Amino acid sequence: MLSKGKYRGDKVAIALIYPNQPSVGMANLGFQTLYQRLNSRRDVVCERVFLEIPEYGGTRVSPPSRSLPRSQESGTPLGDFDILAFSIPFENDFVNILTLLSQSGLPLESSQRMPSHPLVIAGGMTSFINPEPIAPFIDAFLIGEGETLIENFLDTYLENREAIGKRDFTALPGVPGVYVPRFYQIDYNQDGLISSRYAVPPAPDRVQKQTEKDIDGIITFYTFPKEASEFSDMAIIEVNRGCPRGCRFCAAGYLCLPFRNRSMESLLNFLKKTRPKEKTIGLLGTGVSDHPDLIPLSREILSLGYRISFSSLRIDRITDDLADILKKGGQKTVTMAPEAGSQRLRDLIRKDITEEQILSAVDTLIRRDILNLKLYFMIGLPGETMDDIHEILALIRKIRHTILTHRHETRRLGRITVTISPYVPKPATPFQWFPLMDLNEIKKRLSWLKKALSKEPNVHVLADLPKWTYIQALLSRGDRRAATLLRRVHENGGNWPRSLKESPLNPDFFAYRPHDTGEILPW
Ligand code: SF4
């Protein structure tokens, strides 16, 4: 166990916490690369902590256990670290932060912590999107990409260690990208809208999200531990960040801008130098298929003797050349995201792909015996009607028809897995002004589509539960007042229906209210 001061000397002891099950955190590239990066500093010792309760997909299914959370490496309890650093990719994990703090005997609210308590910081995608619903629980957020940001933060922490230890945070807002909620005063109108939001000196009016200008100099690479059985034979390398496409619904596309590519030369140099022992190299990025050298890069990786896998591919990028690479690379299943069934709705969300391109991509893959398709669709998009849902069914039938026309060549049918996700209008996207579609309407559309697709042979349907869509909407669109609801959910052992009923806060105010372009937004 890392005991205070005894083994770690003057090093800063950081608990890097993923507030979900170990199997989920172990497969998260951002979490694992941050862990490696922190431990590469001579003045830091970093250990990982996960939530040890049965869960499914970030959603709690049983009350938390009462056991003391400890780090994986040395079994150190959270209270013995200097810094607790939460990495939070999904809003549905917010309540798990409270579970971990409470199980550790630490005060939940930042304002209640004493000099003897660790500093609690948070980062990850949810901090980019909207940190406000958890602002009262966090001492400081790191907004943006982690590499330079965490280095600058730690340098400032070390220079001001004594003052910060006494909970004097005045040095922290000076670090670009660091948001200290206690330095921001929020006031509300009678109607519940934010009337003013002002920064208390020394905090800046707006905290600027930090991005790495030159990602070529920092290769992000990760191999999975044995426990991640699904991926244990794969090494992941990030090829780009951001996406040039600008689909109107996509938070990742907007929040990770600008679009930046790692050069083929530096990626290959890294792979040749390190020679990963895994059989497959997985190429990861928000816009993998828009990498300017994707084809030559993939061919080089194949020539090094690896199989190859892509995190996602734009449908309009599935050319003969790319399909040949997929085939040679051993890819048996390809994931495609038409997102909407009708051309009208695909144009409205600016997906920028046509039905001809979708069917042509399917044809190109089937000709190479790549028979399994994973298709992603959303329901509840702004402007969607029941006709658009009917068109999802029609499109899937056309895809099946394309597959069947090759049956005499392939002699077998692959599987079409259709994943349907209810859409949540996310902050910082052009659709942020729209409300969540009424949950009953989402349920009606989802149930019609599931029933219709259940009659289609070789089509398997997966769908997110609409209940979690509502919670995700209120947590991604909520302001600081949503923290009171999170606290209640925590006190009720994760029981959302009971907490929503008991809460004086109207959750529909966040989930169902269209935002006026003139109002002050929480994010
Ligand atoms: S292409 Fe994909 S990653 Fe890029 S903006 Fe569209 S949905 Fe997002």
Side-chain angles (χ1 to χ4, degrees):
M1 194 168 87
L2 268 180
S3 77
K4 281 205 165 180
K6 190 173 172 192
Y7 299 112
R8 65 192 192 210
D10 286 338
K11 288 186 177 187
V12 183
I14 301 177
L16 183 61
I17 308 170
Y18 195 91
N20 205 311
Q21 294 181 93
S23 58
V24 185
M26 283 295 193
N28 186 290
L29 179 75
F31 179 78
Q32 298 298 353
T33 49
L34 186 56
Y35 171 69
Q36 288 163 3
R37 190 168 191 97
L38 287 169
N39 275 318
S40 69
R41 280 182 69 122
R42 297 167 72 95
D43 46 12
V44 164
V45 54
C46 175
E47 301 196 340
R48 290 166 295 192
V49 177
F50 301 96
L51 189 76
E52 302 284 354
I53 61 168
E55 287 201 323
Y56 175 71
T59 53
R60 179 176 302 176
V61 292
S62 71
S65 74
R66 299 276 159 231
S67 61
L68 189 66
R70 292 174 182 275
S71 64
Q72 296 271 307
E73 290 80 356
S74 68
T76 302
L78 296 195
D80 285 354
F81 285 89
D82 299 308
I83 298 177
L84 307 185
F86 284 93
S87 173
I88 322 163
F90 306 111
E91 292 88 358
N92 287 356
D93 290 336
F94 280 172
V95 75
N96 297 339
I97 299 170
L98 307 195
T99 303
L100 283 157
L101 291 173
S102 147
Q103 286 175 346
S104 303
L106 298 170
L108 302 184
E109 278 85 11
S110 168
S111 58
Q112 301 303 309
R113 289 185 202 120
M114 308 295 285
S116 57
H117 295 129
L119 180 74
V120 178
I121 64 173
M125 202 59 174
T126 52
S127 306
F128 284 39
I129 294 176
N130 175 18
E132 286 306 278
I134 51 168
F137 310 120
I138 304 296
D139 296 327
F141 288 94
L142 273 54
I143 312 282
E145 292 171 7
E147 290 92 348
T148 309
L149 179 51
I150 191 79
E151 301 287 351
N152 292 343
F153 172 83
L154 283 171
D155 290 344
T156 301
Y157 174 87
L158 282 160
E159 280 162 25
N160 300 275
R161 196 170 182 174
E162 208 180 316
I164 293 171
K166 290 179 185 155
R167 303 198 59 77
D168 170 2
F169 298 157
T170 42
L172 294 180
V175 184
V178 172
Y179 168 51
V180 183
R182 67 159 67 167
F183 290 129
Y184 293 84
Q185 173 69 40
I186 320 281
D187 295 316
Y188 304 93
N189 285 324
Q190 288 283 326
D191 59 8
L193 294 177
I194 296 174
S195 60
S196 67
R197 177 184 189 278
Y198 61 90
V200 179
D205 281 345
R206 295 290 304 177
V207 175
Q208 288 298 323
K209 179 190 77 177
Q210 300 298 295
T211 47
E212 296 295 330
K213 285 189 182 60
D214 172 24
I215 59 167
D216 232 10
I218 37 165
I219 296 287
T220 311
F221 175 81
Y222 178 61
T223 57
F224 293 93
K226 284 195 192 71
E227 306 91 80
S229 52
E230 204 189 327
F231 304 107
S232 60
D233 213 12
M234 188 185 292
I236 299 282
I237 191 160
E238 188 190 45
V239 298
N240 56 22
R241 289 184 188 174
C243 176
R245 302 292 187 138
C247 303
R248 289 192 168 105
F249 59 88
C250 177
Y254 282 92
L255 289 162
C256 301
L257 285 172
F259 182 48
R260 292 147 292 158
N261 289 289
R262 288 202 171 89
S263 69
M264 172 166 143
E265 191 191 4
S266 57
L267 291 165
L268 284 175
N269 281 346
F270 179 83
L271 289 175
K272 284 176 184 167
K273 211 163 94 190
T274 55
R275 272 301 193 167
K277 61 178 180 354
E278 287 72 16
K279 292 198 179 89
T280 303
I281 301 295
L283 303 186
L284 182 91
T286 329
V288 174
S289 48
D290 283 319
H291 191 286
D293 292 320
L294 186 70
I295 301 293
L297 171 67
S298 305
R299 285 187 181 134
E300 286 285 340
I301 292 172
L302 289 175
S303 74
L304 291 174
Y306 291 107
R307 290 199 297 250
I308 195 162
S309 168
F310 302 89
S311 59
S312 63
L313 291 170
R314 282 271 312 185
I315 289 167
D316 52 2
R317 291 283 177 176
I318 301 180
T319 58
D320 284 330
D321 279 349
L322 186 59
D324 285 340
I325 286 164
L326 291 168
K327 172 82 177 155
K328 278 190 202 137
Q331 197 132 349
K332 301 265 188 301
T333 302
V334 169
T335 300
M336 302 197 292
E339 315 286 13
S342 70
Q343 193 60 50
R344 181 194 75 83
L345 197 53
R346 280 196 300 275
D347 290 345
L348 197 147
I349 64 176
R350 213 158 72 190
K351 187 66 193 179
D352 204 20
I353 46 166
T354 62
E355 186 169 293
E356 291 71 40
Q357 286 172 316
I358 297 169
L359 298 178
S360 160
V362 172
D363 185 78
T364 304
L365 294 169
I366 299 301
R367 282 178 191 282
R368 284 157 182 86
D369 218 26
I370 299 172
L371 301 176
N372 300 314
L373 300 177
K374 279 189 189 168
L375 303 174
Y376 282 86
F377 289 93
M378 291 184 290
I379 56 169
L381 285 159
E384 178 193 279
T385 67
M386 204 54 207
D387 286 346
D388 298 302
I389 306 297
H390 296 158
E391 295 238 21
I392 294 179
L393 174 65
L395 179 60
I396 291 168
R397 284 183 171 156
K398 284 178 196 165
I399 290 172
R400 271 201 80 239
H401 177 76
T402 306
I403 296 171
L404 285 171
T405 53
H406 291 288
R407 200 174 182 174
H408 60 284
E409 301 151 32
T410 58
R411 299 195 180 281
R412 61 204 162 91
L413 276 181
R415 186 180 226 212
I416 301 176
T417 305
V418 179
T419 300
I420 309 164
S421 306
Y423 175 66
V424 174
K426 286 285 174 95
T429 67
F431 285 165
Q432 67 178 353
W433 313 105
F434 289 90
L436 175 74
M437 183 178 280
D438 182 82
L439 215 53
N440 290 325
E441 186 59 31
I442 289 180
K443 282 181 191 161
K444 193 179 99 190
R445 293 180 186 193
L446 183 59
S447 123
W448 183 89
L449 189 55
K450 279 167 76 176
K451 195 167 165 206
L453 288 172
S454 70
K455 296 178 190 142
E456 299 295 314
N458 290 79
V459 175
H460 176 64
V461 182
L462 301 171
D464 294 344
L465 288 177
K467 170 185 150 189
W468 292 110
T469 304
Y470 181 83
I471 291 167
Q472 197 194 358
L474 93 87
L475 292 180
S476 60
R477 297 162 63 86
D479 59 35
R480 277 189 195 184
R481 292 168 293 182
T484 58
L485 180 59
L486 278 169
R487 202 181 209 293
R488 197 175 285 263
V489 175
H490 164 69
E491 285 160 1
N492 285 334
N495 187 331
W496 274 96
R498 182 177 153 199
S499 308
L500 288 169
K501 232 179 261 166
E502 287 175 2
S503 172
L505 193 77
N506 174 14
D508 290 355
F509 180 80
F510 300 119
Y512 286 148
R513 188 175 58 82
H515 288 296
D516 191 276
T517 48
E519 73 180 70
I520 300 173
L521 298 169
W523 46 90

